[in-house]
Amino acid sequence: MKINKWTFYISMIINALLLTISTILYFNFADDYTVSYIVSILLNVFAGSFILSITSLVNYFIYRRYLLRDIMNECLKYSHMFSKLNYFIPKKYHEEDLKHIKVKNKKEFIEQYKYDLDIDNIHKLEQILKDYIDLSETSTRELWNMYDDLDFITDLTDKKKREYWNNVFNYIYSKICMIKEYSFHFKIYVSANNGNYKVNEEKLLDLQDKIFFCKKYNYDNGDEVKDIISKLEVGYETISGGESKEFTIVYNEVSDYLLKMFDSVGKDNYFNENYSGIGSEENE
């Protein structure tokens, strides 16, 4: 894409120079056979350069389509990777959970119940940490190779390319780097026999706040919730507040954003501001 862009620019500059020089020589030295011979040579070179400019322009749009489609696929790939992450909600003991339970030794039963909750939290935390560790080991080299070749023919100030840097390439890269930083601690915990559960739980809760959307709503906020859900590209989870009038909506914000970027790149790729969806022939 980049090579074809600059080949087109250079050939067009040569075209302009050759045509200008040939015109000046032809009209100022019309009876000079030597100049006429030079002009004919220049015009032949001009013809070849003109064909080169057309060829490079056609190749530019071909590679543009391939590259933007690859970027769209990268958005899908990373969206799918992030969608595999589960939102961790540590289970906690609430006295009302067992208030209707009648057993012979209730104190012992409660202690066992708390112990089971802790074990369940430990196992769930470890599995989620492993998912983050796997994601942290993802290579972004292929992504950066695409960025290096990205160069729009009408983007003389690189404004469009900077938009792609901010909205796609650096967005993905920064998220992966962020997970790598946290995964340094996660790897130590997973590989240790007696790791510090509480510290890693806090780190995970902090990390997932930067990846997931999680917000409490009142049941009276139905219209606001419907508006949020209608714009989602991913699935969501609702967590009831028990007997309260509140509930929580959770969804993977990164995965949702990257699916929206898929559509955004598709609009550029297919020159269609209404492009939306995956593999829709109507949108192409």
Side-chain angles (χ1 to χ4, degrees):
M1 190 173 173
K2 181 182 291 185
I3 293 174
N4 286 297
K5 170 187 173 179
W6 288 106
T7 302
F8 174 76
Y9 279 165
I10 292 170
S11 62
M12 289 301 293
I13 293 171
I14 293 173
N15 290 342
L17 289 174
L18 290 174
L19 191 60
T20 302
I21 294 171
S22 299
T23 303
I24 293 172
L25 292 176
Y26 179 80
F27 286 105
N28 286 280
F29 304 95
D31 298 328
D32 192 319
Y33 291 105
T34 302
V35 173
S36 297
Y37 178 72
I38 294 173
V39 169
S40 67
I41 294 175
L42 292 177
L43 290 176
N44 282 326
V45 175
F46 168 79
S49 180
F50 182 77
I51 293 174
L52 177 62
S53 64
I54 297 299
T55 303
S56 60
L57 185 62
V58 171
N59 285 335
Y60 164 80
F61 281 107
I62 291 173
Y63 283 105
R64 181 185 188 277
R65 170 62 69 92
Y66 290 154
L67 182 57
L68 292 185
R69 182 175 290 175
D70 286 342
I71 294 172
M72 292 169 71
N73 288 334
E74 286 296 293
C75 289
L76 284 181
K77 182 182 82 173
Y78 282 99
S79 174
H80 180 65
M81 287 180 179
F82 277 90
S83 70
K84 292 181 178 180
L85 299 174
N86 291 311
Y87 190 80
F88 180 66
I89 303 176
K91 295 180 179 179
K92 297 180 180 180
Y93 168 73
H94 300 285
E95 189 174 342
E96 60 269 17
D97 294 341
L98 302 177
K99 65 180 181 181
H100 299 300
I101 301 295
K102 294 182 180 180
V103 291
K104 186 175 181 180
N105 192 336
K106 193 166 186 177
K107 183 178 180 181
E108 184 179 333
F109 180 83
I110 291 175
E111 290 301 317
Q112 182 63 43
Y113 180 77
K114 289 180 180 179
Y115 175 78
D116 292 340
L117 287 181
D118 290 339
I119 294 298
D120 190 41
N121 285 336
I122 290 172
H123 289 161
K124 188 175 291 184
L125 177 81
E126 186 172 330
Q127 182 55 55
I128 292 176
L129 294 187
K130 288 179 180 178
D131 291 336
Y132 277 98
I133 291 171
D134 290 341
L135 185 54
S136 72
E137 295 172 351
T138 303
S139 173
T140 57
R141 289 185 179 181
E142 187 176 354
L143 190 69
W144 288 117
N145 286 338
M146 294 177 190
Y147 180 76
D148 183 60
D149 197 33
L150 187 68
D151 209 351
F152 295 94
I153 202 165
T154 57
D155 189 26
L156 299 178
T157 60
D158 281 343
K159 179 180 178 181
K160 190 71 175 178
K161 189 171 183 178
R162 285 196 298 272
E163 288 180 3
Y164 272 78
W165 160 266
N166 293 322
N167 297 335
V168 179
F169 294 93
N170 191 53
Y171 179 85
I172 294 173
Y173 180 70
S174 62
K175 295 298 181 184
I176 296 296
C177 286
M178 177 182 67
I179 292 174
K180 283 183 179 180
E181 292 177 6
Y182 281 86
S183 291
F184 170 77
H185 302 281
F186 297 163
K187 287 180 179 180
I188 295 174
Y189 174 77
V190 170
S191 61
N193 292 325
N194 294 301
N196 192 320
Y197 167 84
K198 200 61 184 177
V199 170
N200 284 272
E201 179 193 88
E202 291 174 357
K203 287 186 178 297
L204 177 58
L205 294 177
D206 181 56
L207 174 58
Q208 67 184 16
D209 282 344
K210 302 171 184 176
I211 294 174
F212 288 86
F213 174 92
C214 180
K215 188 176 179 180
K216 286 185 178 181
Y217 291 93
N218 192 286
Y219 282 106
D220 296 330
N221 303 128
D223 292 337
E224 182 182 352
V225 173
K226 288 180 181 178
D227 184 59
I228 292 173
I229 293 174
S230 66
K231 295 176 182 177
L232 288 181
E233 299 282 347
V234 295
Y236 64 94
E237 181 181 0
T238 56
I239 303 169
S240 175
E243 297 180 357
S244 69
K245 295 182 178 180
E246 292 183 334
F247 65 96
T248 303
I249 289 183
V250 178
Y251 66 87
N252 194 306
E253 203 165 19
V254 175
S255 182
D256 181 68
Y257 173 84
L258 290 174
L259 287 180
K260 287 181 170 62
M261 285 300 103
F262 174 92
D263 289 343
S264 179
V265 178
K267 292 176 182 178
D268 288 334
N269 194 14
Y270 302 115
F271 301 99
N272 184 354
E273 286 299 319
N274 295 319
Y275 177 85
S276 177
I278 301 174
S280 173
E281 294 181 358
E282 295 180 358
N283 290 321
E284 295 189 22

